[in-house]
Amino acid sequence: MPNGSVPNIDASALPTPDGSTQGTPVPEPTLPEARGAANRRELERDLREALAAGQFHLHWQPIVNCITGRLLRFEALIRWDRPGTGPVAPATFVPIAEALGLHQQLDLWVLRNALQEAARWPQGIRVAVNVSALWFHGEDLSRAVESVLLESGLDPGRLELEVTERVFIGNDVAAKKEFAQLRALGVGVSLDDFGTGFSSLSYLRTIAFDRLKLDRLFIDGLSTCRRTEVITRAVLQLGAGLGMEVCAEGVAHQAQLEILQAYQCDEVQGYLIARPGPMTPERMAVHQRLDRSSLFLGDTADLGALQATW
């Protein structure tokens, strides 16, 4: 250092009387970060407005018997066309709704509209509705469901709620109590995205789900990955042993369906069967005839021949 020069020292690094420094300067957000934060705020604002105005709509995807193709139920899938932007994926706006504490409003909107629609269907067809795991942390889901059922006039036995393994994170005592109250109502409960969450198999000892929904991650590997096939067969055997039906999600190819039929999977759902879409009388009629499709065996006597190939 040249004699007589003064070093350029950041004042924030100088010691204070107690010996500490004044702290490190907080860096300014980058332009992409600032834009991202602004976009998030705009999305939150628009989501609140959409909830207030009921700017959502439902698409429906059928779930059918794996062997015969018989229509069992429809899953209600929420959709949002954001004004000025277009469709926003549920994977984007649902977590935001949960972060803002709006999950109850969102789920109740879906429940009311789904049950009103299902009340017009033939008696043998059920409806499946996804609900946030946050309900199971002491938010009295069963009372809300009972109220919506009374409004719609739908038989509780025709409603099935889909939950993910996130319900077990935190207060599992409250979650088990909620499951028991839903059972008392006569409402079915299925465990969605099975095999990809955070829980252990120990919960299956104490909570009797109506069914396990095997995540599409496993279905994608059928016919190409032997380990995936082994895991899939094990889950099917687990479900059968526990008295829980198993629904395979994300079935997109004939080869996947044939493997699941050979393994005697209970139910299937996915693009091979039908893509989600609005409910119309024509769509209902088509889905009620899926059991006549060449995709399905129709006669379970053909199952033995198919199994012999695996």
Side-chain angles (χ1 to χ4, degrees):
M1 181 184 301
N3 291 335
S5 64
V6 178
N8 183 16
I9 299 176
D10 185 350
S12 67
L14 294 174
T16 58
D18 64 1
S20 64
T21 62
Q22 297 178 31
T24 304
V26 177
E28 292 292 328
T30 64
L31 185 58
E33 289 173 340
R35 286 177 177 169
N39 290 340
R40 167 75 179 222
R41 290 192 295 271
E42 291 177 1
L43 188 61
E44 291 176 353
R45 179 202 64 205
D46 290 352
L47 182 57
R48 291 181 187 276
E49 292 177 357
L51 270 170
Q55 294 175 349
F56 303 99
H57 60 279
L58 293 177
H59 278 188
W60 302 88
Q61 189 171 34
I63 298 170
V64 302
N65 181 284
C66 182
I67 306 300
T68 68
R70 182 172 65 89
L71 177 62
L72 302 173
R73 63 189 178 280
F74 284 95
E75 180 178 354
L77 301 167
I78 189 169
R79 296 292 185 261
W80 178 29
D81 291 331
R82 185 183 178 195
T85 302
V88 181
T92 297
F93 70 81
V94 170
I96 293 176
E98 291 185 329
L100 295 175
L102 301 175
H103 57 282
Q104 288 193 4
Q105 291 176 249
L106 194 65
D107 285 353
L108 288 174
W109 185 94
V110 175
L111 271 169
R112 286 194 177 95
N113 285 271
L115 269 57
Q116 288 171 7
E117 173 63 38
R120 297 191 285 265
W121 300 345
Q123 283 294 318
I125 302 175
R126 304 176 71 209
V127 59
V129 177
N130 295 274
V131 292
S132 171
L134 297 180
W135 280 99
F136 290 82
H137 299 167
E139 296 189 6
D140 210 355
L141 173 63
S142 56
R143 181 175 297 180
V145 169
E146 183 177 21
S147 175
V148 178
L149 282 167
L150 289 172
E151 289 176 18
S152 68
L154 190 76
D155 185 329
R158 293 180 60 194
L159 171 62
E160 182 165 302
L161 301 179
E162 296 191 5
V163 301
T164 67
E165 295 176 352
R166 289 173 54 213
V167 299
F168 303 119
I169 299 175
N171 191 346
D172 61 331
V173 173
K176 291 175 182 177
K177 178 182 178 182
E178 199 64 63
F179 280 117
Q181 291 172 333
L182 290 169
R183 281 286 188 188
L185 285 178
V187 172
V189 182
S190 63
L191 185 58
D192 200 9
D193 302 333
F194 181 72
T196 61
F198 306 99
S199 73
S200 70
L201 294 177
S202 64
Y203 291 104
L204 298 181
R205 295 187 307 161
T206 55
I207 297 178
F209 292 97
D210 291 274
R211 64 186 39 79
L212 306 176
K213 297 195 72 176
L214 186 60
D215 189 79
R216 69 186 66 239
L217 173 69
F218 297 101
I219 308 308
D220 287 343
L222 287 179
S223 78
T224 60
C225 177
R226 180 61 182 165
R227 297 173 73 89
T228 298
E229 291 182 19
V230 170
I231 293 172
T232 299
R233 180 178 287 184
V235 172
L236 292 171
Q237 292 174 341
L238 175 67
L242 293 174
M244 302 177 190
E245 295 185 336
V246 176
C247 175
E249 297 183 281
V251 177
H253 305 290
Q254 178 77 39
Q256 296 169 342
L257 177 62
E258 290 177 356
I259 293 173
L260 292 165
Q261 288 172 332
Y263 290 173
Q264 298 188 60
C265 182
D266 300 295
E267 304 172 354
V268 288
Q269 176 182 6
Y271 282 7
L272 179 67
I273 314 304
R275 291 174 177 266
M279 182 59 70
T280 63
E282 294 77 17
R283 185 177 176 86
M284 173 65 78
V286 167
H287 292 327
Q288 286 183 286
R289 294 195 298 269
L290 281 170
D291 56 348
R292 304 174 199 173
S293 166
S294 60
L295 291 173
F296 298 98
L297 303 177
D299 185 351
T300 54
D302 296 333
L303 184 59
L306 180 61
Q307 289 174 319
T309 66
W310 295 98

